[in-house]
Amino acid sequence: MKISGSQPRVRTCHLGEAALGANAAILADTAMDAADPTILTVDEIGGQPDVPRNLTVKGNDANVAGNVEVSGMNVFGELMTETIALAGVAVVAGSKAFATVHQIQLPKYAASATERVRVGTGAKLGLPLLLWRDTVLAAFRDGAREANRPTVAVSADAVESNTVTLSSALDGSPVVVDLYETH
């Protein structure tokens, strides 16, 4: 029963039409330098996130190591950064949702001048609000309710750390999340 004069607190968040993540969507294979970190600016970065979402890093051989530092903007238009540690050829997912990427810093190479890094997009989609607890009710992809609840990460301090990961694969269809606001 709704109390007379109260405001509804359920919010529908339209997260956009998120494509399946691709491990070179932001930066294709890029060589690492022997002596210094490689700094790439927005003009040298090949792509941008299609919706606010997490990023991934991947090396081209087992020796690729070090930290990739990414700078950009969150869904509120605020500057943000994330450091993601490389692990050879494994795809390593970051946890923060980037709306745009402005700069990527690659570490110097570890063993040989053939080491390369790519930066892609992951499956964690950014929520456009701060939450201090998980209040997600349901997620929908292409108008259909997901059979399983999404995985949710929350932060009362950093909007880029509020994310949902659907149980089904993203495919460019609209994604909608219903939740209770917690402020």
Side-chain angles (χ1 to χ4, degrees), residues 32 58-66 86-89 110 115-117:
M32 301 162 74
K58 180 183 186 305
N60 71 324
D61 74 37
N63 293 319
V64 179
L86 289 159
V89 296
E115 292 176 20
R116 304 175 75 75
V117 174

Side-chain angles (χ1 to χ4, degrees), residues 15-21 50-51 53 122 125 141 169-175:
L15 304 184
E17 297 176 357
L20 183 65
D50 51 350
V51 299
R53 65 194 308 169
L125 303 179
R141 187 176 56 82
L170 300 171
D171 64 0
S173 300
V175 175

Side-chain angles (χ1 to χ4, degrees), residues 82-162:
E82 183 171 26
T83 301
I84 307 170
L86 289 159
V89 296
V91 176
V92 180
S95 61
K96 298 179 180 181
F98 282 83
T100 59
V101 176
H102 295 161
Q103 180 176 296
I104 298 172
Q105 180 175 309
L106 306 177
K108 55 186 178 179
Y109 67 73
S112 71
T114 61
E115 292 176 20
R116 304 175 75 75
V117 174
R118 58 179 63 173
V119 178
T121 52
K124 296 176 186 180
L125 303 179
L127 291 170
L129 68 162
L130 296 167
L131 295 173
W132 60 274
R133 62 187 171 90
D134 176 358
T135 60
V136 170
L137 300 170
F140 302 82
R141 187 176 56 82
D142 201 20
R145 184 182 182 130
E146 292 276 288
N148 297 312
R149 221 175 148 276
T151 301
V152 180
V154 300
S155 169
D157 302 314
V159 70
E160 60 269 18
S161 295
N162 290 275

